């Protein structure tokens, strides 16, 4: 039953990460009188073993396709119609592949309750008129709500297994930060709230470029010292790019949060950007072919993000200040030989 005065939560998305987060949210809402105990989760309807995925989730309480082997709390209700899912929600948790976000916002705008707030767990960036647009900005502009972000070293299966990890919430509004912390924090999912929301979100996108560089290193057999240099130089370029791009303050402290250095390390050692980039070196196949073979056609974030970033650097005549970002772009899209990657490290402005 709905309880008056309690905040209703809707999770927009139900893939691997969305389902892991649903496990946390579903449990947390029942432990607090701040939230309505029923959580709606929008599920993109598909047929799995002859049954609708939403029906499987609602009867067996498991997302058998994207988070197998984990029971979802019974109070998380799968809703295949996105308009019905978001109707009446006070808190919207966005966790869909970034290419769908614009269309979803357009479809649901009319349903949004005045005073609703959002949080984006989507790592990636989009193209905008100035070259680059944050996903939270797309949601903010289309939905006309305040949007925070959650980014960190959070591999979904490990979060679902309740292995300890940290994450960062970027939130300009302190009250909202507290609401999100109540909704999402557990003993094994520890949250730090910081004000620099744009920096936090940019970290989640830019680290994927560095991970491609780390994968090139692995493919070329360069070892851990070289990879450490890639991570450090990549982090320096992330900081420099954030200072170039973000309108508000950018402090290096934010890069020491989970969204920065921790997520960067995880992604450069695990992660599919690293894995596909390594295969790119060893197989001499194109990125597109490898996406088809290794990711069922899902798009890799790293190469795509490097292309968006390169456009901006070119516009601002700053390409030579970002040799690592530039090398990743040129190797992925312009046929620059991958063994050339080492020269962007050797001749980095940091070493001049």
């Amino acid at each position: 039953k709905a309880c008056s005065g309690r905040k209703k939560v809707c999770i927009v998305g139900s893939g691997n990460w969305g389902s892991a987060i649903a496990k946390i949210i579903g449990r947390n809402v029942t432990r607090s009188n701040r939230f309505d105990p029923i959580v709606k989760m929008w599920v993109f309807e598909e047929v799995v073993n002859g049954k609708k995925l939403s029906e499987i989730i609602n009867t067996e309480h498991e997302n058998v396709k994207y988070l197998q082997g984990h029971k979802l709390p019974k109070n998380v209700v799968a809703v295949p119609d996105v308009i019905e899912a978001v109707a009446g929600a006070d808190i919207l948790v966005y966790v869909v592949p970034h290419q769908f976000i614009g269309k979803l916002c357009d479809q649901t705008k009319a349903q949004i309750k005045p005073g609703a707030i959002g949080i984006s767990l989507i790592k990636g960036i989009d193209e905008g008129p100035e070259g680059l647009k944050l996903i939270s900005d797309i949601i903010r502009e289309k939905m006309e709500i305040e949007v925070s972000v959650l980014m960190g070293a959070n591999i979904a299966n490990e979060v679902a297994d309740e292995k300890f990890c940290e994450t960062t919430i970027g939130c300009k509004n302190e009250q909202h930060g507290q609401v999100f912390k109540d909704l999402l924090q557990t003993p094994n999912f520890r949250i730090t709230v910081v004000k620099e929301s744009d920096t936090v979100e940019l970290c989640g996108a830019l680290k994927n470029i560095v991970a491609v560089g780390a994968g090139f290193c692995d493919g070329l057999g360069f070892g851990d010292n070289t990879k450490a240099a890639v991570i450090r130089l990549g982090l320096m370029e992330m900081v420099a790019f954030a200072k170039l791009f973000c309108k508000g303050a950018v402090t290096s402290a934010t890069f020491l949060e989970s969204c920065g250095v921790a997520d960067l390390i995880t992604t450069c050692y695990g992660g599919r950007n690293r894995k596909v980039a390594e295969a790119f070196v060893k197989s001499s196949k194109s990125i597109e072919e490898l996406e088809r073979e290794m990711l069922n056609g899902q798009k890799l974030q790293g190469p795509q993000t490097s292309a968006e970033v390169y456009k901006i650097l070119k516009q601002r005549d700053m390409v030579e200040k970002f040799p690592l970002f530039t090398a990743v772009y040129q190797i992925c899209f312009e046929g620059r030989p991958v063994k050339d990657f080492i020269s962007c490290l050797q001749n980095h402005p940091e070493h001049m």
Side-chain angles (χ1 to χ4, degrees):
K1 280 209 305 285
C3 313
S4 60
R6 294 190 177 189
K7 294 190 183 305
K8 290 184 180 170
V9 181
C10 170
I11 302 169
V12 183
S14 57
N16 186 233
W17 185 212
S19 300
I21 275 300
K23 210 176 153 179
I24 290 177
I25 291 176
R27 232 181 262 163
N28 278 357
V29 293
T30 59
R31 295 180 180 160
S32 155
N33 53 15
R34 190 169 206 165
F35 305 106
D36 190 283
I38 298 297
V39 174
K40 289 192 207 167
M41 176 169 78
W42 174 61
V43 174
F44 177 76
E45 193 66 281
E46 43 193 318
V47 174
V48 182
N49 308 327
K51 283 175 78 176
K52 287 181 175 173
L53 184 56
S54 63
E55 284 169 15
I56 298 173
I57 293 172
N58 288 334
T59 51
E60 294 165 35
H61 306 289
E62 183 184 341
N63 186 335
V64 291
K65 179 154 185 188
Y66 296 106
L67 193 68
Q68 226 178 348
H70 286 280
K71 286 290 176 209
L72 297 175
K74 292 189 167 68
N75 57 316
V76 173
V77 180
V79 181
D81 178 349
V82 70
I83 290 173
E84 187 190 328
V86 304
D90 299 287
I91 298 173
L92 295 147
V93 180
Y94 288 96
V95 53
V96 291
H98 85 282
Q99 60 270 31
F100 302 131
I101 193 66
K103 189 172 160 230
L104 279 172
C105 288
D106 293 338
Q107 284 173 305
T108 53
K109 169 79 173 84
Q111 261 41 56
I112 295 309
K113 210 170 161 176
I117 59 173
I119 187 164
S120 168
L121 279 60
I122 301 167
K123 288 178 182 172
I125 45 180
D126 206 47
E127 277 186 78
E130 280 88 68
L132 197 157
K133 196 154 195 152
L134 297 173
I135 303 299
S136 66
D137 281 333
I138 296 174
I139 302 170
R140 213 171 274 124
E141 287 167 22
K142 286 183 179 280
M143 305 301 277
E144 296 175 36
I145 59 175
E146 278 197 49
V147 184
S148 302
V149 298
L150 180 146
M151 304 278 150
N154 308 140
I155 291 166
N157 292 37
E158 293 181 18
V159 173
D161 284 334
E162 292 170 52
K163 294 177 173 159
F164 177 84
C165 75
E166 305 171 309
T167 199
T168 312
I169 288 179
C171 184
K172 294 177 174 115
N173 177 322
E174 257 166 80
Q175 262 177 309
H176 294 173
Q178 201 42 60
V179 172
F180 290 129
K181 200 167 179 171
D182 289 355
L183 181 66
L184 291 156
Q185 180 157 271
T186 74
N188 282 328
F189 190 64
R190 303 313 289 177
I191 292 171
T192 307
V193 181
V194 303
K195 279 227 160 88
E196 281 175 37
S197 181
D198 292 355
T199 310
V200 171
E201 187 170 1
L202 213 43
C203 281
L206 296 176
K207 52 116 198 184
N208 285 324
I209 306 178
V210 186
V212 173
F216 290 160
C217 261
D218 291 341
L220 294 161
F222 285 150
D224 283 339
N225 297 341
T226 311
K227 194 146 136 180
V230 169
I231 291 172
R232 189 188 78 81
L233 293 167
L235 183 63
M236 297 317 247
E237 291 193 14
M238 285 168 63
V239 174
F241 188 85
K243 288 183 171 161
L244 189 70
F245 175 79
C246 293
K247 290 167 187 72
V250 172
T251 57
S252 35
T254 305
F255 292 88
L256 298 177
E257 297 292 347
S258 184
C259 61
V261 70
D263 196 11
L264 182 60
I265 291 167
T266 309
T267 311
C268 287
Y269 278 92
R272 25 184 213 186
N273 287 281
R274 189 215 63 79
K275 196 168 82 185
V276 175
E278 180 180 20
F280 176 81
V281 179
K282 292 182 167 169
S283 71
S284 70
K285 290 177 179 166
S286 73
I287 293 285
E288 284 84 9
E289 282 175 89
L290 292 166
E291 282 173 339
R292 276 200 299 275
E293 281 173 30
M294 297 172 76
L295 303 174
N296 314 318
Q298 279 178 292
K299 284 281 170 241
L300 264 194
Q301 297 285 357
Q304 234 176 329
T305 307
S306 78
E308 312 273 354
V309 163
Y310 183 73
K311 248 186 251 171
I312 289 185
L313 294 177
K314 223 167 155 55
Q315 272 169 16
R316 304 200 185 179
D317 201 18
M318 296 192 77
V319 168
E320 61 295 329
K321 288 198 166 70
F322 294 84
L324 193 147
F325 286 179
T326 300
V328 168
Y329 165 74
Q330 290 172 337
I331 291 164
C332 287
F333 296 104
E334 293 191 342
R336 183 173 173 182
V338 71
K339 57 180 192 306
D340 215 19
F341 185 64
I342 197 76
S343 71
C344 87
L345 307 176
Q346 291 163 334
N347 305 320
H348 203 280
E350 284 263 317
H351 299 141
M352 292 315 182

